[in-house]
Amino acid sequence: MDHGTVGSAQSGRLLVEVREAGASAVVTPAGELDHHTADLLRDPLDACLAKGFSRLVIDCSRLEFCDSTGLNVLLGARLKAEAAGGGVHLAGMLPVVARVFEITGAEAVFTVHASVADAVPGPDADG
């Protein structure tokens, strides 16, 4: 398991950390994901896909807010990952964020896990 930070971005309200976990990239946004911070998540997700990671695990345990723009970033990443033969897995969603996915019906198009450990297969799982 590589615990090193592969990349990070910060703009006051959102910090994004990326690490490798076997064949998965684990992306951890912390803070508020909205119109003003969406690119701070979109860019690392696109970079992971460009590096060949088609299986993205989004660790939502530190995501405090997500609006429709943030949801669209995740939906876009899902389409790109699926086109590459993978997918986007959401893990550890706080109730306030889970509610956005529930209200919009987006939870039906993502694989949702209770924790990162549940989302990352095999011996590389930790969370």
Side-chain angles (χ1 to χ4, degrees):
M1 175 59 153
D2 178 1
H3 291 288
T5 299
V6 175
S8 65
Q10 184 173 10
S11 178
R13 295 186 306 140
L14 188 72
L15 170 68
V16 179
E17 296 177 354
V18 179
R19 64 181 173 87
E20 298 176 16
S24 301
V26 179
V27 181
T28 305
E32 299 176 5
L33 178 57
D34 60 22
H35 172 75
H36 301 287
T37 60
D39 285 339
L40 293 173
L41 181 59
R42 182 182 294 112
D43 294 345
L45 291 173
D46 286 347
C48 288
L49 291 163
K51 288 181 182 177
F53 288 100
S54 61
R55 189 174 198 286
L56 305 176
V57 175
I58 312 301
D59 178 358
C60 299
S61 65
R62 294 170 51 204
L63 188 60
E64 300 166 0
F65 176 81
C66 180
D67 72 359
S68 61
T69 305
L71 182 60
N72 283 329
V73 168
L74 294 170
L75 289 167
R78 176 188 150 269
L79 291 175
K80 292 173 186 175
E82 287 180 354
V88 172
H89 298 256
L90 305 177
M93 279 197 283
L94 298 175
V96 67
V97 174
R99 182 76 176 133
V100 172
F101 284 79
E102 179 185 333
I103 290 170
T104 61
E107 68 182 358
V109 300
F110 289 100
T111 304
V112 179
H113 304 270
S115 69
V116 172
D118 292 339
V120 177
D124 291 315
D126 76 358

